[in-house]
Amino acid sequence: MKTRRFCPHCGRPLVKSQLSKSINRYTFQCRVCEEDFFKFEVLKKTDMALIKYLRRIALYRDQLHHKTLSNGESTHNQFLIVDSNNTITREEY
């Protein structure tokens, strides 16, 4: 069952936990991150600007990972920089 809550790691929609409440005290689950969250940890629709920002970073990270895997590059010496205008750049060290 979908909710109006979002993952604080990737920004994707969460589902209610399917496990028994006696076993699992977590309220929500992210199917992408495979993480469980308490009610106070998740993002709400009022946090939409942050959710869009997280989704953009996750999308860029996935594209970068796919591109580097297809080119055979190593990502160990690369990192992402996000400036105040929310533009994402990749740099190497």
Side-chain angles (χ1 to χ4, degrees):
M1 169 190 276
K2 289 188 178 179
T3 63
R4 292 188 175 148
R5 305 284 194 254
F6 299 90
C7 177
H9 298 296
C10 68
R12 291 187 171 93
L14 298 173
V15 295
K16 286 190 176 182
S17 180
Q18 300 296 320
L19 298 175
S20 170
K21 296 213 184 233
S22 62
I23 298 172
N24 183 11
R25 297 186 185 261
Y26 294 106
T27 309
F28 300 102
Q29 293 178 330
C30 178
R31 300 262 170 105
V32 177
C33 298
E34 298 180 359
E35 289 282 333
D36 297 322
F37 299 101
F38 291 108
K39 195 173 188 177
F40 64 88
E41 293 179 297
V42 300
L43 299 172
K44 301 175 186 174
K45 274 189 106 171
T46 56
D47 304 319
M48 192 54 73
L50 178 60
I51 293 166
K52 287 181 180 179
Y53 176 72
L54 289 171
R55 292 289 297 130
R56 203 165 140 215
I57 289 176
L59 178 65
Y60 185 79
R61 190 182 311 127
D62 291 345
Q63 289 173 349
L64 177 66
H65 182 70
H66 178 70
K67 205 182 286 186
T68 55
L69 286 180
S70 63
N71 293 340
E73 299 175 1
S74 171
T75 58
H76 295 292
N77 60 348
Q78 301 171 358
F79 58 96
L80 301 176
I81 296 176
V82 182
D83 63 8
S84 60
N85 296 329
N86 288 338
T87 56
I88 302 170
T89 57
R90 179 179 81 168
E91 289 195 7
E92 297 184 18
Y93 60 93

